[in-house]
Amino acid sequence: MVATGEPRIAARFAALKAEKRSGLITFLTAGDPNMETSLEVLKALPAAGADLIEIGMPFTDPMADGPAIQRANLRALKAGVTVKKTLAMLTQFRKTDQMTPVVLMGYYNPIHAYGVPAFLKDAKAAGCDGLICVDVPPEEDQELALPTRAVGLSFIRLATPTTDAKRLPKVLQNTSGFLYYVSLAGITGVGAVDPAAVAAAVQRLKAKTPLPVAVGFGIRTASQAEAIARVADAAVVGSALVDCIGEAAAGGKKPAEIVASAAALTRELAGGVRRASRQ
Amino acid sequence: MKQIPNTFKAGPDENGHFGIYGGRFVSETLMPLILELEEAYRAAKADPKFQAEIDYYNTYYIGRPSPLYFAERLTKHLGGAKIYFKRDELNHTGAHKINNCIGQILLANRMGRKRIIAETGAGQHGVATATVAALFGLPCTVYMGEMDIERQQPNVFRMKLLGAEVKPVTSGSRTLKDAMNEALRDWVTNVADTFYIIGTVAGPHPYPAMVRDFQSIIGKEARQQMMDAEGRAPDSLVACIGGGSNAMGLFYEFLDDAAVKIYGVEAGGHGIETGQHAASLTGGVPGVLHGNRTYLLQDADGQIIEAHSISAGLDYPGIGPEHAWLHDAKRVTYTSITDTEALDAFQMCAKLEGIIPALEPSHALAFVKKLAPTLPKDHLLLMNLCGRGDKDIFNVAKALGTKI
Ligand SMILES: Cc1ncc(COP(=O)(O)O)c(C=O)c1O
């Protein structure tokens, strides 16, 4: 039996708990620097130590992202990636990996243009487990969050330093799978995480939700990942990996070398996460 | 069957929706900020002191009311409707943009914000924002696409003289939409002290409604002035549309006057059929960008297509959500004018009326040029002359092949 939807995410966090450790979530942009290489990177991530994977769906106007992911979006769009091709890439991945939870992350307009019901149906069929949509807040839940949950996919919401106690219940209400805590007010890839502040924030969140809490934004190195892994259920690394792929591609490296660089960085980060065993 | 609303002035609803358009599509980091802004604006709007402050600056700083001017030679030349200009180009800083900036900076003050940011296309909104920031002694950063910096040099220098920092935006198409992305990125990074002054009736709720309210002084004055001049309301209204703020400012007052025909003019660039234009209603489909649902220039995959217009102020692939709604409801007729037609109108206005208009309202004027001759001589046609063309002369010279 192959787990699908929420169970695959829940199963992974349960397994991590049993191993008494926190997880590593890696982010890559679909089609960066091109479809073929991107698929090979994706396939290499679980063996290198990624416990859960976020696939970014490229958008021309990634308002919440810093320069690294903006550039990755442009590389991918230039390489001709579409929502359909992103889902096809996931389908390919699922042929060899049915255990690693995969979350699609992006902005609303490409999903809106695809059509929400069609997108959810196709994403589910492709083996997607959850969705993060940056620009659809709880105030617009009927747009995407509710339909996503209705088809049995997780809708993973971001909580941020500006989400105060009064607002938190609203953020948690239709969140499922896990909660993603954005460690700093800002865009991706800029600034460094503050583990002490994150520890306090995660405690505050955990008091209000039984969901696992992953922490992202500002985690680039193994030691940062280790520090966050001590206080959260998972550490998310995005821009550092995206930069690694971007630099390798810009340096004219062959696809296999790009995959090797991404895998090496993932191993390093996973090492950091695994050093931080939890009771 | 679509229900015809008994008023077009009731929007938006409490969630910022105009029909299916508008809303609050922003990241969680910004949500608490726009909710706070909405609350602060609601309180300010109900406070007579806030309105009195706006009135004061309108009168003594901006120079309102702007005149309603009968364009007699143009009327004779076109040989049809009687053409009036609402002369918001005579405002301090040379465009309607300052009407909104005064309102927002007063709100920023009430909210205790210490730093101002803005996006700008033509630079008019940037200049207006830099102006009010100087007036209130607040530091100001203006985001402007690299391409717009090139074609609107006079305004870049103006902003710097006013003490603002102009940050060139090099991402994407390097125009207005990218400047807005960058301003939003700044805002999520500096949540504690920063007030974002959006320059048009776009963005997440409450901006579209708030900017409309601040601009609606245009239509209110115009009704009274037309009453004084002609003893009745105008028969039709024409305004150009980038995001749509000068247009909403003129239209809003008249939305429920069923007899008043209303025309919004988008930038047709090289022509709608070439795909190189900025006419989101004519050539776009509904989508979600910059905090709201509206018509957008986009491809089949939901990727935003770069807009094109000779006028930097109209060069935006979206349009305010209230316009999207008025379009679907067929209350306002939206049309488009090409670069070439706008350039012709620009020159015609200078020679016939001694007024050098901005390239943006030159689009409205080019439509007036087509419309007026088809109308009877007693038809009162009111156009919003929302900006002056000083900022455009280098660009126009270039387009006309003249070296200056
Ligand atoms: C003179 C002038 N008119 C019109 C516009 C377009 O904006 P809106 O459609 O919001 O009035 C601009 C924008 O910069 C402008 O400078």
Side-chain angles (χ1 to χ4, degrees), chain A residues 6 131-132 136-138 141 145-146 149 153-159 167-181 209-213, chain B residues 28:
Chain A
E6 303 210 24
L131 188 60
I132 300 177
V136 185
D141 260 358
L146 299 181
R149 297 203 56 181
L153 296 179
S154 292
F155 195 81
I156 295 132
R157 187 99 66 197
L158 309 183
R167 184 167 170 77
L168 185 56
K170 192 156 190 137
V171 169
L172 292 174
Q173 192 180 17
N174 290 314
T175 301
S176 58
F178 61 94
L179 181 68
Y180 185 141
Y181 180 65
T209 178
L211 291 172
V213 177
Chain B
E28 174 58 25

Side-chain angles (χ1 to χ4, degrees), chain B residues 137-153:
Chain B
L138 296 175
C140 174
T141 299
V142 179
Y143 290 93
M144 187 167 187
E146 227 176 21
M147 195 153 113
D148 292 337
I149 287 183
E150 252 164 59
R151 56 182 168 172
Q152 304 281 285
Q153 272 300 325

Side-chain angles (χ1 to χ4, degrees), chain A residues 58-66 70 74 77 81-84 108-110 112-114 134-140 142-143 157-164 167 171 182 184-187, chain B residues 15 17 20 22-33 35 171-172 177-178 180-182 184-186 188-191 286-291 293 296 298-305:
Chain A
F59 183 46
T60 38
D61 295 80
M63 273 108 43
D65 286 297
Q70 286 175 42
L74 290 181
L77 289 171
V81 71
T82 59
V83 173
K84 258 205 163 67
Y108 189 29
N109 200 53
H112 189 274
Y114 197 99
V134 181
D135 52 353
V136 185
E139 278 70 9
E140 306 284 353
Q142 71 293 348
E143 291 276 341
R157 187 99 66 197
L158 309 183
T160 70
T162 59
T163 312
D164 59 16
R167 184 167 170 77
V171 169
V182 172
L184 36 95
I187 51 179
Chain B
N15 288 314
H17 294 117
I20 64 164
R24 288 180 281 223
F25 294 91
V26 296
S27 64
E28 174 58 25
T29 311
L30 289 182
M31 261 323 290
L33 278 80
L35 292 174
S171 57
K177 92 173 161 74
D178 309 282
M180 196 150 180
N181 289 336
E182 234 17 72
L184 286 165
R185 289 179 186 125
D186 180 312
V188 293
T189 311
N190 300 288
V191 290
V288 173
L289 180 71
H290 293 153
R293 180 188 273 110
L296 299 172
Q298 54 179 317
D299 68 15
D301 203 48
Q303 305 299 341
I304 306 304
I305 295 173

Side-chain angles (χ1 to χ4, degrees), chain B residues 89 94-97 120-126 152 155 176 199-202 211 215 240-248 311-315 323 358-361 384-388 391-392:
Chain B
E89 107 277 11
H96 66 292
K97 297 286 179 187
T120 196
Q124 286 305 107
H125 174 60
Q152 304 281 285
N155 273 345
L176 183 53
T200 190
V201 286
V211 176
Q215 290 293 0
C240 68
I241 295 184
S245 68
N246 86 83
M248 275 320 303
S311 141
L314 305 183
D315 205 347
H323 285 291
L359 278 171
E360 291 81 13
N384 197 6
L385 186 47
C386 61
R388 66 176 89 122
K391 69 182 174 62
D392 292 315

